[in-house]
Amino acid sequence: MASGPQLQSPPLLPGLRWCGSKKWFVVQCVGMFFVVCCVRFYYVSSLGVAVPYWDQWDAIGWQTFRPVLADGLSLDVLFRAHNEHWIPLTRLQSLILFWMNSDQWDPAIEMLVNAVIAGAAAAAVFATLGRHLTARNRIVFFMITSIV
């Protein structure tokens, strides 16, 4: 059986061959970080308030800052339950930002730091899952991930 020449379908996006390079993948990961950070920075600047929200008064102000300012930092302060949750990393982040801001509590700064953490998490998810995709699927994944 002689077979004729194999016909290949043309690429869907012929001009995107360069999208498969490793340098482009790094650019996409950094782009994911900046897209998520910029969107969240916009939300913080337009919708954020500099007053603690809801139970931050109790969880951070009363149960974290007050004991630390009175008696110093202890593991009990970090690992004390708040309602049904344990929030040691949130308390530690708040304390570090409190001390870096000259003992002034500013929830807006916490929101900006959380935006950077969210951007890093989105970039890490994109880097982890995106390396297993083709260049075309990676672009689609970038758009979907940046929207979410």
Side-chain angles (χ1 to χ4, degrees):
M1 265 191 194
S3 64
Q6 298 291 328
L7 296 175
Q8 294 182 358
S9 61
L12 186 62
L13 301 170
L16 295 179
R17 293 179 204 263
W18 52 273
C19 289
S21 70
K22 291 186 182 196
K23 288 180 184 178
W24 179 245
F25 182 63
V26 171
V27 168
Q28 287 176 325
C29 291
V30 171
M32 176 61 66
F33 172 78
F34 283 115
V35 164
V36 172
C37 283
C38 288
V39 168
R40 288 186 174 241
F41 287 165
Y42 172 74
Y43 286 151
V44 169
S45 68
S46 61
L47 303 173
V49 294
V51 178
Y53 181 73
W54 201 269
D55 62 349
Q56 278 184 313
W57 288 105
D58 182 44
I60 305 300
W62 189 257
Q63 292 182 1
T64 304
F65 292 148
R66 188 182 58 87
V68 167
L69 291 173
D71 304 324
L73 181 61
S74 68
L75 289 178
D76 178 52
V77 170
L78 291 178
F79 289 97
R80 181 179 299 149
H82 172 66
N83 295 332
E84 65 276 3
H85 306 288
W86 287 3
I87 53 172
L89 294 178
T90 303
R91 288 183 171 149
L92 186 62
Q93 175 193 4
S94 295
L95 281 170
I96 290 170
L97 293 173
F98 179 73
W99 289 324
M100 288 176 69
N101 200 23
S102 303
D103 292 347
Q104 181 179 344
W105 184 18
D106 190 355
I109 292 174
E110 291 181 25
M111 288 184 261
L112 294 175
V113 170
N114 287 335
V116 172
I117 292 170
V125 167
F126 182 79
T128 303
L129 299 177
R131 74 179 69 190
H132 303 293
L133 299 173
T134 63
R136 181 182 55 187
N137 291 340
R138 194 180 303 144
I139 292 171
V140 173
F141 183 61
F142 179 89
M143 288 187 276
I144 291 171
T145 309
S146 63
I147 291 171
V148 172

